[in-house]
Amino acid sequence: TIPIEKGLLFRARHEKNNPEGRSVLRNAYRCYDNQTEVLTKRGWKLFREVSETDEVATLSPNPGLLVYQKPQKLYVYDYEGQLFHQTGRFIDLCVTPNHNIWFRPREGAEYRFAEASQLPRRAVFNQGAIWIGTERQSFEFMPLPIYQRFRNSQTKRLKEIRPAHVVDMDDWLRFLGIYLAEGSSYRGQSGNHPAQVGISQKNSKNIETICEWAKRLGWRFCITKGKSSNASRILVSQLQLYNELAPLGHAHQKFVPDYVKELSPRQIQIFLDAFHMGDGSRVGNGTRVYYTASKQLADDLSELILKAGRAALIRRQEQETSFGKGIWVVSEHVKTEAGVNSRNRDARHWMDY
């Protein structure tokens, strides 16, 4: 089980000579520091933000399945002592010395638990999991009531109810992925202007691909040319589509809807491929990289990459890039293990807390 810092169940006197550090509990529990996040069904959360209603992502050792479980108990307490801090290119771990760590020695041994203070110098940490998920055949846009507003009056009457619009789920995931990467939604405040969904793109081949995706969904569209740039914009004026996409936020607030995170690895990969076509690149070694201005969207992408069978690394990029500056960069890595501490470099630290 994962100890979660949320509710103080009881208080006891300080243990003055506790080798694991002082706490308000008789013994220091095995815990992370207050900056560590844990994956829940509602996304990444700091441990202190987790509640009893959250389901936390856990790893079943055999065969390594990602399983959501509710915590059995919640702990939070003051701690005074040292913390074990292991850093590396893909690792940033900060725990109490007695915290159990899932690792394996570099010499090809099986995974096992050891307290942080007893870890060997050269260890390998697991960064991946097997996610099953659910295959969905279709996606349904809800029926839409259409009202007629009378001129110079606030009165309106029901004109028609547009029926539900059902599309192939794979096709929808492609359009959703490119929209969250390159799209925006707009509707005039008065409500009289048509609701529009637009996707910007410079690459002519990508424009053809996106248009084909829109055709498969049954939406009519047009292509406009930007006045101040060489980018084209694919516009769809469809209220049902707008109602589905507009709640997913604008540039800095965008996020992935929860139903995508529950899908199978195959369908999650369809979404990731489409997003990467819009806001992605590859670095020298072939690593796929995703870019976004939204921290929430970066967190969502890292979760999806994990569920697709790989490992993700998030960092903040303040310098100017072709994708802008002040953006979040999510790197996708095929290797789901991370080794730490070479023969020449030891990145273990003990820090006062």
Side-chain angles (χ1 to χ4, degrees):
T1 59
I2 299 178
I4 300 177
E5 302 175 6
K6 183 62 180 179
L8 180 59
L9 301 184
F10 61 92
R11 296 180 67 89
R13 64 183 177 84
H14 283 277
E15 191 69 26
K16 299 297 184 182
N17 297 316
N18 181 6
E20 304 294 354
R22 302 176 184 176
S23 77
V24 295
L25 305 180
R26 185 170 295 276
N27 293 301
Y29 276 74
R30 298 174 168 90
C31 279
Y32 293 90
D33 73 342
N34 60 5
Q35 299 300 311
T36 300
E37 293 180 326
V38 62
L39 180 60
T40 74
K41 264 202 168 181
R42 292 188 284 181
W44 293 97
K45 287 188 172 185
L46 292 168
F47 271 109
R48 63 175 180 268
E49 297 172 345
V50 176
S51 71
E52 293 179 345
T53 61
D54 281 309
E55 293 181 70
V56 179
T58 64
L59 183 68
S60 173
N62 190 9
L65 293 176
L66 191 162
V67 181
Y68 287 102
Q69 300 185 64
K70 287 190 175 181
Q72 297 176 353
K73 292 183 179 181
L74 305 177
Y75 295 93
V76 62
Y77 58 90
D78 294 326
Y79 175 82
E80 181 183 345
Q82 288 194 314
L83 292 179
F84 174 81
H85 190 200
Q86 173 69 69
T87 60
R89 183 181 177 189
F90 303 110
I91 292 292
D92 189 355
L93 180 72
C94 193
V95 296
T96 53
N98 61 355
H99 195 287
N100 276 335
I101 304 296
W102 185 244
F103 85 104
R104 70 171 177 84
R106 280 188 179 252
E107 288 70 31
E110 294 183 354
Y111 276 90
R112 65 191 72 170
F113 280 112
E115 292 189 357
S117 60
Q118 303 301 315
L119 280 175
R121 172 173 172 169
R122 303 188 69 205
V124 176
F125 297 101
N126 177 60
Q127 292 184 294
I130 299 172
W131 171 250
I132 303 299
T134 304
E135 281 274 328
R136 285 181 56 177
Q137 299 302 313
S138 61
F139 183 83
E140 180 177 322
F141 294 85
M142 300 302 293
L144 179 68
I146 303 297
Y147 293 91
Q148 182 181 34
R149 190 183 300 274
F150 294 96
R151 184 176 296 179
N152 301 323
S153 172
Q154 296 298 317
T155 305
K156 61 181 181 180
R157 68 178 177 85
L158 181 65
K159 182 180 179 182
E160 63 173 305
I161 296 180
R162 206 165 283 171
H165 184 67
V166 181
V167 299
D168 180 82
M169 189 60 162
D170 289 2
D171 290 338
W172 170 240
L173 290 171
R174 294 183 181 98
F175 193 88
L176 178 62
I178 193 64
Y179 170 81
L180 286 175
E182 300 277 36
S184 59
S185 300
Y186 172 79
R187 191 182 189 190
Q189 292 183 357
S190 67
N192 292 325
H193 294 84
Q196 290 188 333
V197 171
I199 298 175
S200 298
Q201 189 61 227
K202 295 181 180 180
N203 186 297
S204 59
K205 184 177 180 181
N206 289 351
I207 292 173
E208 293 178 6
T209 299
I210 297 167
C211 289
E212 180 60 33
W213 293 346
K215 289 178 183 177
R216 291 184 193 175
L217 295 172
W219 306 126
R220 294 181 179 180
F221 62 89
C222 65
I223 301 176
T224 62
K225 195 73 173 178
K227 295 181 180 180
S228 59
S229 69
N230 59 352
S232 295
R233 189 167 174 80
I234 302 162
L235 289 177
V236 181
S237 296
Q238 226 298 333
L239 188 54
Q240 282 172 299
L241 180 63
Y242 171 88
N243 287 345
E244 187 64 38
L245 295 177
L248 301 182
H250 295 286
H252 290 81
Q253 293 81 36
K254 281 184 176 179
F255 62 93
V256 176
D258 287 340
Y259 63 82
V260 177
K261 303 174 186 177
E262 298 298 320
L263 296 173
S264 68
R266 185 193 71 83
Q267 290 189 309
I268 286 175
Q269 190 60 54
I270 290 174
F271 172 89
L272 289 172
D273 289 344
F275 187 100
H276 187 266
M277 188 180 83
D279 267 349
S281 68
R282 289 184 182 269
V283 296
N285 60 0
T287 298
R288 296 213 320 184
V289 183
Y290 306 77
Y291 305 89
T292 176
S294 167
K295 174 61 165 64
Q296 182 60 60
L297 185 51
D299 285 345
D300 292 342
L301 289 171
S302 72
E303 178 180 344
L304 293 176
I305 290 170
L306 171 67
K307 290 179 174 179
R310 293 174 296 281
L313 178 68
I314 300 177
R315 62 183 174 86
R316 178 75 172 171
Q317 178 76 42
E318 298 295 347
Q319 292 82 8
E320 184 71 45
T321 70
S322 58
F323 292 88
K325 65 178 180 179
I327 59 174
W328 295 95
V329 181
V330 185
S331 302
E332 176 184 296
H333 300 274
V334 176
K335 292 184 178 180
T336 56
E337 290 187 317
V340 294
N341 305 326
S342 65
R343 289 187 177 87
N344 302 320
R345 182 174 181 271
D346 189 348
R348 296 174 296 175
H349 311 282
W350 290 96
M351 53 184 289
D352 293 327
Y353 188 81

